[in-house]
Structures are given as C-alpha cells and as structure tokens.
Amino acid sequence: MSSNASPTVSSPTRTIRIGSRKSQLALVQTYWVQEQLQKAFPDRTFEVHTMSTQGDKILDVALAKIGDKGLFTKELEVGMLNQEIDFAVHSLKDLPTRLPEGLMLGAVTERENPADALVLHSKYKDKQFDTLPEGAVIGTSSLRRLAQLRYHFPHLAFKDVRGNVITRLQKLDAGEYDALVLAVAGLQRLGLGDRVDRVIPAEISLHAVGQGALGIECREGDEEVLSLIKAIEDVPTRDRALAERAFLRELEGGCQVPIGVNTSLEGDVLTLTGMVASLDGQRLVKDTVTGAPTEAEKLGIELAQRLRQQGAQEILAEIFAQIQRGQVL
Ligand SMILES: NCc1[nH]cc(CCC(=O)O)c1CC(=O)O
C-alpha cells in the first residue's frame, strides 16, 4: 500500500474523524475513545466514521487460512492515507506489528484484563477444562488458544468458530459447542462479563500480543492528532505492548500464529514472558526476560532470540507449512 498521504491541514477547529469497524465490540471501543477525548478536549469536535473490513466480511473461512495482512485494519488504513479519517481505533491485538508506510501506532489505552476466558454451555456450568468430558468441543478461531489448550488438555476436541463475539455466544447457546474461549476484555466491554465462567491463568494460556488494550493508529507527522490521542495514552500499558509487539515482530509472527505473551510492570521492572507452541500441542517453548520499561522493544527482541535458540523458528516454520497445506482448524 503506497503512502499518498497529503500534508494534513492543522486547525484547532478542525473536526477530528475517528475510523472504526462496524462490529459491536469495535463500536463500543471507539465510542469510549471518543468520550475520553471529548472529556479531555471539550471544545473540539470528534466524529465516528465506520467501515467494514475484509475480516468482517469473510466469515466462512478459518482466520488462520486467510492470513492476517491487515484483515481487520486495511480499509481503515487506506481511509487515513486518503485523508478520509484522521485516526483509527483498533483492538491492539488485531493490529499487525508492521504498519503501512506513513502510518504509526500513535497511542495505547489502559489495558483491561488481558486474559482469556472459558465460556461454558449451560449444561457444563460446573465444569473446568480438566473435568469436561472426553471429546468435549471447544470453539476457538485462535491457533494460540488451541495449541496451548491441546498441550494442557489433550482429551478435548477443538472446532473453528467465526463471527463477532455475540454471534459466537449464540452458536454456543444453540449447542454447536460445549464451550468457547474468548477474551475477558471483549466480554466485559460488551457488558457480558457474567458469561466469563473461568478466567484462564497465564500458566495455562498466555494471551495474545496486545490483548485487552486499544491501539490508536494515525498518520505519521499529524502532530495535532498525535497530541490529542496522547492525552488518553496509558504509559505502562504502552511499554508492555511495545515489548510484546517487538517480540512478535522479531519472530515474524502474524496475529494468527500460536505465539502468546504475558507482561507485568512493577516499579521500574518490566517482565515479559513469551511462548511458541506447535499446533498438535506436543511442543511448547517458553521463556522470560526482565528489564527497564524504556528498553521495552529491546526486551521483546531479546526474548524472541532466546526462543529461537530453543526451537521456536522450527515450530513456526512447521505451522506455516501446515497452514499452506490447509491442515489447521
Ligand atoms: N478479533 C477478535 C478480537 N479482537 C479483540 C478482542 C477482544 C478485545 C481485546 O483483546 O482487546 C477479540 C475477541 C476475542 O478475542 O475474544
């Protein structure tokens, strides 16, 4: 995608146009950003402009088979480069780690709980992963969730699930699955926190890079927009996300590969744990690095290099070949 961004006209009275996908979750997230900005800048005007993305339209193919060349972001990025919108609100975990020329990750908002949730069918409300019956069907479109859960619970079966969060819950309640794995953050933002039956601990499943945080993408050089969105950035979340994204970028992993992370920030110590797992759940390499939050991206690169030395690249190469052969979900 070439950058045909023309110089942006800065003016304190210019209406700021916010780009968003049309899914309920995307709109809840975007209207929250609009509200935070309106509180911070009561004299400014912020408008929401919605767009459908390819990922919203292709619903009959597993995400892993489609790949993730900006599946949920490309149309919004074209809108920014064409000056139709001024910035875009993304679930950070859906924003590729390499952005088109002329665009940048301008701000990261405070992270909700980044963990995954087990959402059970009503007939299994008393169960845990290890007490679900042999062959119980778990719905997920995430190879990251599938690989880790196969590693810990080989007695379970896994089936792809597509559609937005509401659609997935409808499929569960209709009996198409015995349980789903979804992000706690997405359920909570939709007012469906009561559907979280178990929060999955990091020891079982490391979450997706950027999960639980919003990423605000804007044009490089648009200093006016950058100053506005920086007002709602959460610096600790940003540092954690930069480390996580650098880790994923260095492994050349996309949003659809079994790479998981967990980060924490205590005082001036940033801790990053990362893993890469094979799709059959037989191999999993995991390690942890710590350092200063100012070195977040270097930490992510260091961890990726450590996991390479433990066999991560061979696991990923095998997965890419399996995806090419259509041997996943
Ligand atoms: N593309 C799916 C997607 N993108 C972001 C979220 C949850 C919200 C977040 O991680 O911030 C979800 C739903 C899910 O994984 O259950």
Coordinates of all heavy atoms in Angstrom, one line a residue, residues 246-296:
A246 N 7.2 -6.1 19.8 CA 8.6 -6.3 19.3 C 8.9 -7.8 19.3 O 9.6 -8.3 18.4 CB 9.6 -5.5 20.2
F247 N 8.5 -8.5 20.3 CA 8.7 -10.0 20.4 C 8.0 -10.6 19.2 O 8.6 -11.4 18.5 CB 8.0 -10.4 21.7 CG 7.9 -11.9 21.9 CD1 9.1 -12.8 21.9 CD2 6.7 -12.5 22.0 CE1 8.9 -14.1 22.0 CE2 6.5 -13.9 22.1 CZ 7.7 -14.7 22.1
L248 N 6.7 -10.3 18.9 CA 6.0 -10.9 17.8 C 6.6 -10.5 16.5 O 6.8 -11.3 15.6 CB 4.5 -10.4 17.9 CG 3.6 -11.0 16.8 CD1 3.5 -12.5 17.0 CD2 2.2 -10.4 17.0
R249 N 7.0 -9.2 16.3 CA 7.6 -8.8 15.1 C 8.9 -9.5 14.8 O 9.2 -9.9 13.7 CB 7.9 -7.2 15.2 CG 8.3 -6.6 13.9 CD 8.6 -5.1 14.1 NE 7.5 -4.4 14.7 CZ 7.5 -3.8 15.9 NH1 8.6 -3.8 16.6 NH2 6.4 -3.1 16.3
E250 N 9.7 -9.7 15.8 CA 11.0 -10.3 15.6 C 10.9 -11.8 15.2 O 11.7 -12.3 14.5 CB 11.8 -10.2 17.0 CG 13.2 -10.8 16.9 CD 14.2 -10.1 16.0 OE1 13.9 -8.9 15.6 OE2 15.2 -10.7 15.6
L251 N 9.8 -12.4 15.7 CA 9.6 -13.8 15.4 C 8.9 -13.9 14.0 O 8.6 -15.0 13.5 CB 8.7 -14.5 16.4 CG 9.4 -14.9 17.7 CD1 8.3 -15.5 18.7 CD2 10.5 -15.9 17.5
E252 N 8.6 -12.7 13.4 CA 7.9 -12.7 12.1 C 6.5 -13.4 12.2 O 6.1 -14.1 11.3 CB 8.8 -13.4 11.0 CG 10.0 -12.6 10.7 CD 9.8 -11.2 10.1 OE1 8.7 -11.0 9.5 OE2 10.7 -10.4 10.2
G253 N 6.0 -13.4 13.4 CA 4.7 -14.0 13.6 C 3.5 -13.0 13.3 O 3.7 -11.8 13.5
G254 N 2.4 -13.5 12.7 CA 1.3 -12.6 12.5 C 0.3 -12.7 13.7 O 0.7 -13.2 14.7
C255 N -0.9 -12.2 13.5 CA -1.9 -12.2 14.6 C -2.5 -13.6 14.7 O -3.2 -13.9 15.6 CB -3.0 -11.2 14.3 SG -2.4 -9.5 14.1
Q256 N -2.2 -14.5 13.7 CA -2.9 -15.8 13.6 C -2.0 -17.0 13.9 O -2.2 -18.1 13.4 CB -3.5 -16.0 12.2 CG -4.4 -14.8 11.8 CD -5.5 -14.5 12.7 OE1 -5.9 -15.3 13.6 NE2 -6.0 -13.3 12.7
V257 N -0.9 -16.8 14.7 CA 0.0 -17.9 15.0 C 0.1 -18.2 16.5 O -0.3 -17.3 17.3 CB 1.4 -17.6 14.4 CG1 1.5 -17.5 12.9 CG2 2.0 -16.3 15.1
P258 N 0.4 -19.4 16.9 CA 0.4 -19.7 18.3 C 1.6 -19.1 19.1 O 2.5 -19.8 19.4 CB 0.4 -21.3 18.3 CG 0.6 -21.7 17.0 CD 0.7 -20.6 16.0
I259 N 1.5 -17.8 19.2 CA 2.5 -17.1 20.0 C 1.7 -16.4 21.1 O 0.7 -15.7 20.8 CB 3.3 -16.1 19.1 CG1 4.1 -16.8 18.1 CG2 4.1 -15.2 20.0 CD1 4.8 -15.9 17.1
G260 N 2.1 -16.6 22.4 CA 1.4 -16.0 23.5 C 2.4 -15.2 24.4 O 3.6 -15.5 24.4
V261 N 1.9 -14.3 25.1 CA 2.7 -13.5 26.0 C 2.0 -13.2 27.3 O 0.8 -13.4 27.5 CB 3.1 -12.1 25.4 CG1 4.0 -12.3 24.2 CG2 1.8 -11.3 25.0
N262 N 2.8 -12.7 28.3 CA 2.3 -12.2 29.5 C 3.3 -11.1 30.0 O 4.5 -11.4 29.9 CB 2.1 -13.3 30.6 CG 1.2 -12.7 31.7 OD1 0.1 -12.3 31.5 ND2 1.8 -12.7 32.9
T263 N 2.8 -10.0 30.4 CA 3.8 -8.9 30.8 C 3.3 -8.4 32.2 O 2.1 -8.4 32.5 CB 3.9 -7.7 29.8 OG1 2.5 -7.3 29.5 CG2 4.7 -8.1 28.6
S264 N 4.3 -7.9 32.9 CA 3.9 -7.2 34.2 C 4.9 -6.1 34.3 O 6.0 -6.1 33.8 CB 3.9 -8.1 35.4 OG 5.3 -8.6 35.6
L265 N 4.5 -5.0 35.1 CA 5.4 -3.9 35.3 C 5.3 -3.5 36.8 O 4.2 -3.1 37.3 CB 4.9 -2.7 34.4 CG 5.8 -1.4 34.4 CD1 7.2 -1.8 33.9 CD2 5.2 -0.4 33.4
E266 N 6.3 -3.8 37.5 CA 6.4 -3.5 38.9 C 7.5 -2.5 39.1 O 8.7 -2.7 38.9 CB 6.7 -4.7 39.8 CG 5.5 -5.5 40.2 CD 5.2 -6.7 39.4 OE1 6.2 -7.4 38.9 OE2 4.1 -7.0 39.0
G267 N 7.1 -1.2 39.5 CA 8.0 -0.2 39.6 C 8.7 0.1 38.3 O 8.1 0.3 37.3
D268 N 10.0 -0.1 38.2 CA 10.8 0.2 37.0 C 11.3 -1.1 36.4 O 12.3 -1.2 35.6 CB 12.0 1.0 37.4 CG 12.4 1.9 36.1 OD1 11.5 2.1 35.3 OD2 13.5 2.3 36.0
V269 N 10.6 -2.3 36.7 CA 11.0 -3.5 36.1 C 9.8 -4.1 35.3 O 8.7 -4.4 35.8 CB 11.3 -4.6 37.3 CG1 11.7 -5.9 36.6 CG2 12.5 -4.0 38.1
L270 N 10.1 -4.2 34.0 CA 9.2 -4.8 33.0 C 9.5 -6.3 32.9 O 10.7 -6.6 32.6 CB 9.3 -4.1 31.7 CG 8.4 -4.6 30.5 CD1 6.9 -4.6 30.9 CD2 8.7 -3.8 29.3
T271 N 8.6 -7.2 33.1 CA 8.8 -8.6 32.9 C 7.9 -9.1 31.7 O 6.7 -8.8 31.7 CB 8.4 -9.4 34.2 OG1 9.2 -8.9 35.3 CG2 8.6 -10.9 34.0
L272 N 8.6 -9.7 30.8 CA 7.9 -10.2 29.6 C 8.1 -11.8 29.5 O 9.3 -12.2 29.5 CB 8.5 -9.6 28.3 CG 8.1 -10.2 27.0 CD1 6.6 -10.0 26.7 CD2 9.0 -9.5 25.8
T273 N 7.1 -12.5 29.5 CA 7.1 -13.9 29.2 C 6.5 -14.2 27.9 O 5.5 -13.6 27.5 CB 6.3 -14.7 30.3 OG1 6.9 -14.5 31.6 CG2 6.3 -16.2 30.0
G274 N 7.1 -15.1 27.1 CA 6.6 -15.4 25.8 C 6.7 -16.9 25.5 O 7.5 -17.6 26.0
M275 N 5.8 -17.4 24.6 CA 5.8 -18.8 24.3 C 5.5 -19.0 22.8 O 4.8 -18.1 22.2 CB 4.9 -19.6 25.2 CG 3.4 -19.5 24.9 SD 2.9 -20.8 23.7 CE 1.5 -19.9 22.9
V276 N 6.0 -20.1 22.2 CA 5.6 -20.5 20.9 C 5.2 -22.0 21.0 O 6.0 -22.8 21.7 CB 6.7 -20.4 19.9 CG1 6.3 -20.9 18.5 CG2 7.1 -18.9 19.7
A277 N 4.1 -22.4 20.5 CA 3.7 -23.8 20.7 C 3.3 -24.4 19.3 O 2.9 -23.7 18.4 CB 2.4 -23.9 21.6
S278 N 3.5 -25.7 19.2 CA 3.1 -26.4 18.0 C 1.6 -26.7 18.0 O 1.0 -26.8 19.0 CB 3.9 -27.8 17.9 OG 3.5 -28.6 19.0
L279 N 1.0 -26.8 16.8 CA -0.4 -27.0 16.7 C -0.9 -28.3 17.4 O -2.0 -28.3 17.9 CB -0.8 -26.9 15.2 CG -0.7 -25.6 14.5 CD1 -1.3 -25.7 13.1 CD2 -1.3 -24.5 15.3
D280 N -0.1 -29.3 17.4 CA -0.5 -30.6 18.0 C -0.4 -30.5 19.5 O -0.7 -31.5 20.2 CB 0.2 -31.8 17.4 CG 1.7 -31.6 17.6 OD1 2.2 -30.7 18.4 OD2 2.5 -32.4 17.0
G281 N 0.1 -29.4 20.0 CA 0.3 -29.3 21.5 C 1.4 -30.1 22.1 O 1.5 -30.2 23.3
Q282 N 2.2 -30.7 21.2 CA 3.3 -31.6 21.7 C 4.5 -30.8 22.1 O 5.3 -31.2 23.0 CB 3.7 -32.6 20.6 CG 2.6 -33.6 20.2 CD 2.1 -34.3 21.5 OE1 2.9 -35.0 22.1 NE2 0.8 -34.2 21.8
R283 N 4.8 -29.6 21.5 CA 6.0 -28.9 21.8 C 5.6 -27.4 22.2 O 4.7 -26.8 21.6 CB 6.9 -28.8 20.6 CG 7.8 -30.1 20.4 CD 8.3 -30.2 19.0 NE 7.2 -30.3 18.0 CZ 7.2 -29.7 16.8 NH1 8.2 -29.0 16.4 NH2 6.1 -29.9 16.0
L284 N 6.2 -26.9 23.2 CA 6.0 -25.5 23.6 C 7.3 -25.0 24.2 O 7.9 -25.6 25.1 CB 4.9 -25.5 24.7 CG 4.4 -24.2 25.2 CD1 2.9 -24.3 25.6 CD2 5.2 -23.7 26.4
V285 N 7.8 -23.9 23.6 CA 9.0 -23.2 24.2 C 8.5 -21.9 24.8 O 7.7 -21.2 24.3 CB 10.0 -23.0 23.1 CG1 10.7 -24.3 22.6 CG2 9.5 -22.2 21.9
K286 N 9.1 -21.7 26.0 CA 8.6 -20.5 26.8 C 9.8 -20.0 27.6 O 10.7 -20.7 28.0 CB 7.5 -21.0 27.8 CG 7.0 -19.8 28.7 CD 6.1 -20.4 29.8 CE 4.7 -20.7 29.4 NZ 3.8 -21.0 30.5
D287 N 9.9 -18.7 27.7 CA 11.0 -18.1 28.5 C 10.5 -16.7 29.0 O 9.5 -16.2 28.5 CB 12.3 -18.0 27.6 CG 13.5 -18.0 28.5 OD1 13.4 -17.7 29.7 OD2 14.6 -18.4 28.0
T288 N 11.3 -16.1 29.9 CA 11.0 -14.8 30.5 C 12.2 -13.9 30.5 O 13.3 -14.4 30.7 CB 10.5 -15.0 31.9 OG1 9.3 -15.8 31.9 CG2 10.2 -13.7 32.6
V289 N 12.0 -12.6 30.2 CA 13.1 -11.6 30.3 C 12.6 -10.5 31.2 O 11.4 -10.2 31.3 CB 13.5 -11.1 28.9 CG1 14.2 -12.2 28.1 CG2 12.4 -10.5 28.2
T290 N 13.5 -9.8 31.8 CA 13.1 -8.6 32.6 C 14.1 -7.5 32.2 O 15.2 -7.7 31.8 CB 13.2 -8.8 34.1 OG1 14.6 -9.2 34.4 CG2 12.3 -10.0 34.6
G291 N 13.6 -6.2 32.4 CA 14.4 -5.1 32.1 C 13.6 -3.8 32.4 O 12.5 -3.8 32.9
A292 N 14.2 -2.7 32.0 CA 13.6 -1.3 32.2 C 12.5 -1.1 31.1 O 12.7 -1.5 30.0 CB 14.7 -0.3 32.1
P293 N 11.4 -0.5 31.5 CA 10.4 -0.2 30.5 C 10.9 0.6 29.3 O 10.4 0.5 28.2 CB 9.3 0.5 31.3 CG 9.8 0.8 32.7 CD 11.0 -0.1 32.9
T294 N 11.9 1.4 29.6 CA 12.5 2.3 28.5 C 13.2 1.4 27.4 O 13.5 1.8 26.3 CB 13.5 3.3 29.1 OG1 14.4 2.5 29.9 CG2 12.8 4.4 29.9
E295 N 13.4 0.1 27.8 CA 14.1 -0.8 26.9 C 13.1 -1.8 26.4 O 13.4 -2.9 26.0 CB 15.2 -1.6 27.6 CG 16.3 -0.7 28.3 CD 17.2 -0.1 27.3 OE1 17.8 -0.8 26.5 OE2 17.3 1.2 27.2
A296 N 11.8 -1.5 26.4 CA 10.7 -2.5 26.1 C 10.9 -3.2 24.8 O 10.9 -4.5 24.8 CB 9.4 -1.7 26.1

